[in-house]
Amino acid sequence: MKIKSVEPFVLHVPVTGSQIADSTHSITHWGVVGARIETEDGLAGYGFTGTHAELAGDHLITRCIATCLAPLLVGEDASDVQRLWLKIARNPALQWIGRAGITTLAHAAVDVALWDLKAKQAGVPLWKLLGGQVRDRVRAYNTDIGWLSIADDKLVQGAQRAVGQGFTGIKIKVGSTVERDLRRLEAVRRAIGPDVTLAVDGNGKWDLATCLRFCRGAEPFDVYWFEEPLWHDDVKGHAQLARATRIPVALGEQLYTQDAFSEFFHQEAVHWVQPDSTRMGGVSEVMRVCETAHAYRLPVALHAGDMSQVHVHLSYAHPACQVLEYIPWIKDCFTEPAEVVDGSFRLPQQPGAGTTPTQDAWERFSRPVA
Ligand SMILES: O=C(NO)[C@H](O)[C@H](O)[C@H](O)CO
Ligand SMILES: [Mg+2]
């Protein structure tokens, strides 16, 4: 499968209800910034990273794909995914300008496209190519009903609606004031009862003192995990928090390399591991983090920077993956949407990684690539 071309693309897709917010972001669209890799025998593979749909930043990624990564890939055998991952990750010029950041977001798009190609060429869904189904179901938890931009009464109604749709897990955003967030947490717990898992996500906003105060008030409500309680690189702070509270600590969506995860594992600063292929240079690096998490006997809940289009495959194929995030913004842009039925993600059937956009998506959501 000789690579003939590597071309970037940009889709900007509206979020639910036209605007959502967490403690540090408010967005109207999700950016699907990717690469289309075509082989000489006409097979096309698609991969993408996830952004907040700011075109200037998206163009840094598309330019990196077109001018830095494409020349490293054209003419290569697309099936050599691991060798090509290292060729990009250890390219001296790229490594010099960024071992984490734009380069790894761009790398993610091409690595996922190569896995998509490999699975399509084998005629199987990616989970099958990765070794087959290791579980009967992948339980979903719904994040799209828990945004900080949702008013308190609507938050409770949304949580009840999600449970009525069959979700057995939900996640609500925190990071406004401790008092308000505890009121919302208590109201949602009372509304959904004790059997639905209820996680909270702070997106790295608070300091340790504030997190300690929040956890003291939150513990009676059986919080499934506290996601990104502190700043993303603060290993020491997360370790202190993990020792001080009974609420499990979850993190990983903002980490770029397996080395970053290793430090959190080593310092016992994380209980739920949340790597994201759209940030870590693709499926290849995320699978290594899943292996290490499994060796530490830590459960994985892959972050939905891909809106679980690709991560549903990994979650069916890797024993460490326990639950998966549901955010439906972009699912209908793909020929096989990541769907949830009776609280679990449907097992994908189509060959590939679930990343092939529909013609309708190209027409409605494409944006200039430079
Ligand atoms: O934290 C998250 N999921 O766990 C979400 O990815 C973010 O809230 C969205 O990207 C909006 O910034
Ligand atoms: Mg999060």
Side-chain angles (χ1 to χ4, degrees), residues 171 173 201 203 227-228 253 303 325:
K171 181 166 84 177
K173 294 292 185 177
D201 184 352
N203 289 95
E227 183 170 330
E228 292 202 307
E253 71 181 73
H303 177 255
E325 186 166 28

Side-chain angles (χ1 to χ4, degrees), residues 15 20-27 30 51-52 141 143 147 171 173 201-203 225 227-228 253-254 274 276 279 302-305 307 325 327 329:
V15 302
I20 61 97
D22 58 36
S23 67
T24 45
H25 312 92
S26 175
I27 57 174
W30 188 253
T51 73
H52 285 169
Y141 72 87
T143 295
W147 305 109
K171 181 166 84 177
K173 294 292 185 177
D201 184 352
N203 289 95
W225 70 56
E227 183 170 330
E228 292 202 307
E253 71 181 73
Q254 286 290 332
Q274 300 178 304
D276 190 333
R279 188 169 295 280
L302 294 171
H303 177 255
M307 305 287 133
E325 186 166 28
I327 304 179
W329 303 334

Side-chain angles (χ1 to χ4, degrees), residues 16-349:
T16 304
S18 77
Q19 183 266 342
I20 61 97
D22 58 36
S23 67
T24 45
H25 312 92
S26 175
I27 57 174
T28 61
H29 290 71
W30 188 253
V32 178
V33 181
R36 178 183 186 278
I37 298 182
E38 187 169 340
T39 63
E40 290 196 344
D41 43 14
L43 204 53
Y46 299 88
F48 55 86
T49 187
T51 73
H52 285 169
E54 294 289 334
L55 210 46
D58 291 351
H59 286 166
L60 294 177
I61 299 167
T62 55
R63 188 167 168 75
C64 184
I65 291 169
T67 59
C68 302
L69 304 191
L72 296 175
L73 292 169
V74 171
E76 284 282 12
D77 178 351
S79 59
D80 288 357
V81 186
Q82 294 297 351
R83 178 177 64 80
L84 293 177
W85 190 90
L86 277 171
K87 179 178 181 184
I88 291 171
R90 298 292 178 268
N91 173 267
L94 274 177
Q95 191 171 303
W96 190 261
I97 61 171
R99 289 177 290 107
I102 302 288
T103 51
T104 45
L105 298 179
H107 190 175
V110 300
D111 178 79
V112 172
L114 290 172
W115 279 105
D116 184 41
L117 270 173
K118 199 173 177 75
K120 281 171 176 171
Q121 204 235 4
V124 295
L126 180 59
W127 58 264
K128 184 78 175 167
L129 184 75
L130 293 172
Q133 204 180 336
V134 298
R135 56 177 45 83
D136 291 335
R137 52 181 292 219
V138 170
R139 188 166 73 87
Y141 72 87
N142 192 325
T143 295
D144 204 32
I145 47 84
W147 305 109
L148 268 185
S149 41
I150 296 173
D152 297 8
D153 57 339
K154 295 278 188 288
L155 180 77
V156 170
Q157 290 163 20
Q160 289 173 317
R161 191 170 55 249
V163 173
Q165 291 163 350
F167 284 96
T168 59
I170 61 174
K171 181 166 84 177
I172 65 171
K173 294 292 185 177
V174 295
S176 58
T177 65
V178 169
E179 292 71 22
R180 177 186 180 224
D181 291 339
L182 286 174
R183 278 199 306 275
R184 288 161 67 91
L185 175 64
E186 178 172 7
V188 169
R189 175 52 82 198
R190 290 193 189 291
I192 63 176
D195 300 333
V196 176
T197 62
L198 174 54
V200 299
D201 184 352
N203 289 95
K205 177 77 176 295
W206 283 337
D207 57 28
L208 182 58
T210 307
C211 286
L212 288 168
R213 202 153 62 82
F214 173 78
C215 289
R216 268 198 303 280
E219 288 193 4
F221 305 116
D222 187 18
V223 177
Y224 198 56
W225 70 56
F226 187 175
E227 183 170 330
E228 292 202 307
L230 295 160
W231 179 248
H232 316 299
D233 305 314
D234 182 4
V235 181
K236 173 176 53 55
H238 282 94
Q240 288 174 289
L241 183 64
R243 285 194 294 274
T245 177
R246 287 177 299 177
I247 300 175
V249 171
L251 57 90
E253 71 181 73
Q254 286 290 332
L255 301 185
Y256 291 90
T257 63
Q258 66 174 65
D259 309 83
F261 278 94
S262 299
E263 196 50 31
F264 280 94
F265 295 160
H266 181 66
Q267 304 241 8
E268 300 177 345
V270 60
H271 300 105
W272 275 93
V273 185
Q274 300 178 304
D276 190 333
S277 62
T278 68
R279 188 169 295 280
M280 299 196 74
V283 167
S284 304
E285 186 81 336
V286 162
M287 292 301 276
R288 287 185 277 270
V289 171
C290 289
E291 285 296 290
T292 312
H294 201 44
Y296 274 83
R297 297 296 167 218
L298 294 174
V300 172
L302 294 171
H303 177 255
D306 66 326
M307 305 287 133
S308 298
Q309 285 296 130
V310 180
H311 292 166
V312 60
H313 290 265
L314 309 192
S315 299
Y316 268 106
H318 199 285
C321 299
Q322 302 299 323
V323 295
L324 186 58
E325 186 166 28
Y326 174 77
I327 304 179
W329 303 334
I330 66 172
K331 69 181 180 68
D332 295 320
C333 292
F334 300 97
T335 57
E336 188 170 29
E339 297 287 9
V340 171
V341 179
D342 297 333
S344 295
F345 279 91
R346 194 175 45 75
L347 181 69
Q349 298 301 313

